[in-house]
Amino acid sequence: GAVVSQHPSRVICKSGTSVKIECRSLDFQATTMFWYRQFPKQSLMLMATSNEGSKATYEQGVEKDKFLINHASLTLSTLTVTSAHPEDSSFYICSAKESSYEQYFGPGTRLTVT
Amino acid sequence: QKEVEQDPGPLSVPEGAIVSLNCTYSNSAFQYFMWYRQYSRKGPELLMYTYSSGNKEDGRFTSQVDKSSKYISLFIRDSQPSDSATYLCAMSALRVWEGADGLTFGKGTHLIIQP
């Protein structure tokens, strides 16, 4: 079956630094990747939609200059949280899809900003 | 065998019918069970959250968790065309919103409610 991996699974960084999260589709070509964020006791919130080779489309309220998304290949998308602050601490999960409606989610990355 | 099995469908039913969506899992450590609904080009939204075994009702939605059988269900009563979406089950061994590891999701069931 289709597998999506994320790296790292957990990361702790200091306030003001940047952190990069990778999302990979391991056995299929992901034409579209999604990035979600989940705060405690909240649903997964879509942050952005990324199509390979194109600029990401960000949801309302998501700062595109703070959350840099790169989808340079059909198997890799990266989310870089720039100048991270404690309020950015959250659970970030990506998903990837081929042309069908099915999305395959990564296992998530727990970011803690101290 | 995947940790969580969910029939991707599509499942097509007439309006007003009772819909039953199911997932099975193999990891006995799972204790928290969730159902997400996802409309096209939208992020999944949390529908139901259940801890351990039992039933939980919220409006037209009822979730059932049977840990002894490692089987969870979501029932939708009086289904509406607006219920047409993809429904994902998800589960975790620990409370995901208290610093636990990632969720294990099912693949999602594409549900179509015919007017």
Side-chain angles (χ1 to χ4, degrees):
Chain A
V3 178
V4 175
S5 69
Q6 276 184 247
H7 178 80
S9 59
R10 293 174 181 266
V11 58
I12 300 173
C13 70
K14 293 185 177 181
S15 185
T17 62
S18 296
V19 61
K20 179 185 287 187
I21 302 169
E22 292 186 349
C23 177
R24 292 181 184 273
S25 56
L26 298 185
D27 54 0
F28 69 100
Q29 292 185 326
T31 54
T32 305
M33 286 185 169
F34 303 85
W35 286 96
Y36 300 92
R37 178 170 54 185
Q38 185 178 36
F39 291 111
K41 298 187 179 181
Q42 299 293 321
S43 177
L44 286 165
M45 296 298 293
L46 180 66
M47 297 176 67
T49 302
S50 168
N51 293 298
E52 186 267 337
S54 302
K55 290 184 177 180
T57 301
Y58 291 80
E59 295 298 300
Q60 190 172 8
V62 178
E63 301 173 59
K64 61 179 66 178
D65 294 325
K66 182 172 182 61
F67 298 97
L68 303 178
I69 293 173
N70 183 283
H71 191 170
S73 76
L74 285 171
T75 59
L76 173 65
S77 177
T78 60
L79 168 67
T80 301
V81 183
T82 63
S83 186
H85 289 93
E87 59 264 32
D88 297 323
S89 298
S90 187
F91 183 62
Y92 292 85
I93 186 168
C94 73
S95 66
K97 62 181 288 186
E98 294 178 285
S99 57
S100 72
Y101 61 85
E102 291 179 275
Q103 276 191 46
Y104 302 97
F105 288 87
T109 297
R110 170 69 59 187
L111 170 63
T112 303
V113 184
T114 60
Chain B
Q1 181 186 8
K2 291 185 178 179
E3 279 196 298
V4 179
E5 297 282 354
Q6 185 177 10
D7 186 342
L11 174 63
S12 183
V13 300
E15 183 177 0
I18 296 176
V19 175
S20 173
L21 304 168
N22 311 293
C23 289
T24 60
Y25 63 95
S26 58
N27 187 346
S28 59
F30 288 140
Q31 298 184 56
Y32 299 88
F33 304 91
M34 289 138 281
W35 285 96
Y36 287 85
R37 177 177 63 195
Q38 182 181 25
Y39 293 110
S40 180
R41 298 186 177 276
K42 297 292 184 182
E45 61 176 304
L46 184 63
L47 283 177
M48 303 288 286
Y49 162 61
T50 307
Y51 169 69
S52 194
S53 289
N55 295 356
K56 188 174 183 179
E57 185 174 329
D58 183 1
R60 296 185 295 113
F61 298 90
T62 300
S63 69
Q64 285 186 352
V65 174
D66 184 342
K67 290 184 66 179
S68 62
S69 301
K70 296 187 176 65
Y71 188 86
I72 70 172
S73 299
L74 176 70
F75 298 95
I76 307 174
R77 294 186 300 279
D78 187 27
S79 57
Q80 305 294 315
S82 59
D83 294 327
S84 299
T86 296
Y87 290 80
L88 300 107
C89 65
M91 45 200 78
S92 174
L94 299 171
R95 282 179 286 196
V96 66
W97 34 75
E98 292 189 8
D101 295 322
L103 289 174
T104 301
F105 283 88
K107 291 177 66 175
T109 298
H110 185 53
L111 175 65
I112 302 169
I113 308 298
Q114 301 168 338

